Amino acid sequence: MLSGVYIKNFRCFKEVDLGLEKLTQLVGENGTGKTAILEAINLCLSPSFLTSRFDEQDFNNADEGDIVIQCYFNESFTVNLPDGYQSRPVPCNIVHLEVKRRSRSAPSKALNDPFTINHFVVPDDSVSSKGEGKWTILRNSGTDFDFDTRRLSFPLTTEGLPRPFYFSKDRTKQAETGYATTLNKIAIEYNWRFRKELENIGESYLDQWEAINTTILDAVGAKKIKDTYSPIKKKLEDLLGSNFDNLELSMLNLEQPFTKSFLAKREGLNQVNQKGFGSGISTITSFFLIETIANLAKEEILLLIDEPEMHLHPQLQVNFFKYISDIENQLIFSTHSEHLIDFKLWFGIRRIDHNYRIHPDIETLNSKMQFNDSSRPIKEHLEEFIEYYQYKTIHIKENNQLFFGRKCVLVEGALDKYMIERLSEFNINDLTIIPCYGKNKIFYYQMICKAFGIPYFTLFDTDDDGSTDTNKTLGENSFDGYCFSFKKSMENCFGISSNTKHKGSKTIDLIDNSDSKKLADEIAKCLELIHVFTTSY
């Protein structure tokens, strides 16, 4: 399994080291580098022909040197190196890719690639090192076989090295015939198999085709053919002679009938091609096509998907996520959908913030948070959160949106959220407001925000008793002190008591009709602090 990737000077990343799980979910705002991570892995693990796949835009804007990408694995794969007599198996656990700008022209070449590629594998610790980039192992004869990174450069014969299958945003093209697409590769395979059988079926095949061809031409009509196609044939014959007396208007490549093939749903004569399936179904069809071919390869594979939810209805997103999360192969994907985040697998969630930092990190997970009468590392709180199914009873799926925001405000309920959205006179577009549905649940959202590097403002009611353990804990666990508590409740600021009938609808009505210049002191103070919070991060 790919256990991590190190990226330096590639696109938005100056330097990052990212740990990976069997199912890794990359989340964060737009433009934070989720796609760049997938493409870095794909490039590093692709076996060859990389020079043409890089351009100047792939270097980080800070321009701090060469691009370096390293993929490292939890178990070693084998590289078979010829040692002069036979092949030597060399256990390796790292793939190294380095891209440099070309400094001078290559000898005897009229045109030069702008970059040079250094792409090799690195032996694991069981192989004796002879210095940087040099190793040695014993031959069967007992003599030393010395080799270096040049001998370990791609292309190589490997066993156990996962092959990447990257589903980019334009993956629907993979289900169409065209250069290097998956369907085109299938068509080539089918054409080859068909061509082998032509000797056995040739005569009957030609008879059937002649009948179909005649039917089609008869439907067009002799006059139309005479007016359009026949003059062309006549002129070619007159100019070039009998070489063109067998010229015809072909509708099928007889020896390679799959060359222009396409996926279609058919009822009688009516055909609906893949584009007519609808964009979401077309996307899934392309995925299943590539996945099927990947599995037929009978080799270790790694699936990389950029936004699996693309074009999918929410319910289809849920069903598709169930499918891909049960796949046996390792899967790494980016997403902007709350339907594709499984908090049960929190250890596989990687949130990238707008400063291109990756969360959670080990230091944060080992830091302690106070909850009631105990102070424990965040990692232990998270493990307990899963063990007691609190990710189902407390963390609702709709609140997965906090992973995609820049900063959030944690509130007790929907009324608090509505009050902030309705009465704030400052820009709250960068805020994700999360209703936790109960003061006793806010702590868990504080824990999630802290673990995944999400700045948060905590807002709650003290219910006329600021001395309770819950009130103290929420204040102590606030982010950089950004916290506000109403003396009684937010509703009380509008004159609504806890026993008021229909208090929710009445509170909303009062919020809608509030004069922003005459807000209760507590409401005004609360909004002022949230405003300060929004401008600080």
Side-chain angles (χ1 to χ4, degrees), residues 343-509:
F343 199 79
K344 179 182 178 182
L345 304 174
W346 66 267
F347 47 85
I349 298 174
R350 299 290 181 270
R351 178 180 175 270
I352 311 161
D353 66 26
H354 63 284
N355 292 313
Y356 314 117
R357 293 177 300 219
I358 309 254
H359 308 274
D361 57 63
I362 294 175
E363 182 180 353
T364 300
L365 290 177
N366 288 333
S367 65
K368 293 184 177 182
M369 281 188 77
Q370 181 75 28
F371 182 56
N372 293 335
D373 58 349
S374 66
S375 177
R376 290 183 294 158
I378 290 177
K379 184 178 180 181
E380 291 185 14
H381 285 300
L382 286 167
E383 289 169 345
E384 185 179 82
F385 195 67
I386 303 306
E387 181 181 356
Y388 294 108
Y389 300 100
Q390 291 167 317
Y391 67 96
K392 288 183 177 290
T393 60
I394 294 176
H395 179 80
I396 62 174
K397 183 176 66 176
E398 289 76 9
N399 282 347
N400 279 335
Q401 62 184 292
L402 65 85
F403 287 108
F404 307 106
R406 179 167 296 189
K407 45 204 162 188
C408 73
V409 179
L410 304 177
V411 300
E412 286 194 40
L415 288 177
D416 304 277
K417 178 178 179 180
Y418 186 74
M419 181 273 293
I420 296 170
E421 293 174 337
R422 188 72 178 81
L423 298 181
S424 298
E425 293 193 316
F426 50 88
N427 189 340
I428 61 171
N429 290 339
D430 281 346
L431 285 181
T432 301
I433 305 173
I434 302 294
C436 303
Y437 300 107
K439 180 166 62 177
N440 60 328
K441 298 178 182 178
I442 294 178
F443 163 77
Y444 297 99
Y445 285 92
Q446 289 180 319
M447 171 190 67
I448 293 169
C449 287
K450 190 167 184 180
F452 289 92
I454 307 164
Y456 58 94
F457 186 103
T458 306
L459 176 63
F460 61 96
D461 303 335
T462 56
D463 303 311
D464 242 350
D465 187 1
S467 63
T468 64
D469 289 341
T470 300
N471 291 332
K472 288 181 177 179
T473 299
L474 295 182
E476 290 170 358
N477 289 327
S478 63
F479 174 79
D480 282 358
Y482 282 105
C483 177
F484 185 84
S485 57
F486 293 107
K487 183 177 180 182
K488 289 186 177 181
S489 67
M490 184 273 293
E491 295 90 337
N492 185 259
C493 296
F494 292 93
I496 303 294
S497 63
S498 59
N499 58 2
T500 299
K501 191 175 182 180
H502 305 305
K503 70 173 185 176
S505 59
K506 290 184 178 180
T507 303
I508 290 175
D509 185 60

Side-chain angles (χ1 to χ4, degrees), residues 166-297:
Y166 178 43
F167 300 82
S168 66
K169 288 188 178 71
D170 62 350
R171 52 186 170 268
T172 54
K173 292 182 179 179
Q174 292 296 324
E176 303 170 7
T177 49
Y179 176 71
T181 69
T182 302
L183 187 59
N184 197 61
K185 293 172 184 176
I186 294 173
I188 291 171
E189 169 81 8
Y190 286 3
N191 282 333
W192 168 71
R193 292 180 179 276
F194 176 80
R195 186 67 183 79
K196 286 201 308 176
E197 291 298 311
L198 264 182
E199 186 176 333
N200 300 324
I201 65 169
E203 188 173 341
S204 62
Y205 171 53
L206 276 176
D207 289 342
Q208 294 173 60
W209 169 243
E210 293 292 355
I212 294 172
N213 191 47
T214 300
T215 300
I216 295 171
L217 294 177
D218 286 348
V220 173
K223 184 178 185 308
K224 179 57 66 176
I225 292 173
K226 181 180 179 181
D227 291 343
T228 53
Y229 158 69
S230 296
I232 299 171
K233 181 179 179 182
K234 178 68 168 56
K235 291 174 183 178
L236 285 170
E237 288 176 339
D238 291 345
L239 183 65
L240 301 173
S242 60
N243 284 338
F244 280 84
D245 58 7
N246 61 348
L247 181 72
E248 72 170 12
L249 183 64
S250 296
M251 289 152 274
L252 179 72
N253 186 325
L254 292 175
E255 292 184 295
Q256 298 178 305
F258 293 95
T259 300
K260 298 295 183 181
S261 57
F262 58 94
L263 294 175
K265 293 162 56 179
R266 184 172 70 86
E267 292 183 13
L269 291 175
N270 180 257
Q271 291 175 304
V272 178
N273 66 16
Q274 185 200 6
K275 289 182 179 178
F277 296 175
S279 54
I281 303 301
S282 179
T283 299
I284 290 180
T285 301
S286 299
F287 173 83
F288 286 151
L289 178 71
I290 303 172
E291 185 214 7
T292 299
I293 298 304
N295 289 329
L296 286 173

Side-chain angles (χ1 to χ4, degrees), residues 16-36:
V16 67
D17 199 344
L18 174 68
L20 299 167
E21 300 291 333
K22 184 176 183 293
L23 177 66
T24 301
Q25 308 154 76
L26 303 177
V27 300
E29 297 177 62
N30 286 321
T32 53
K34 300 183 295 296
T35 299

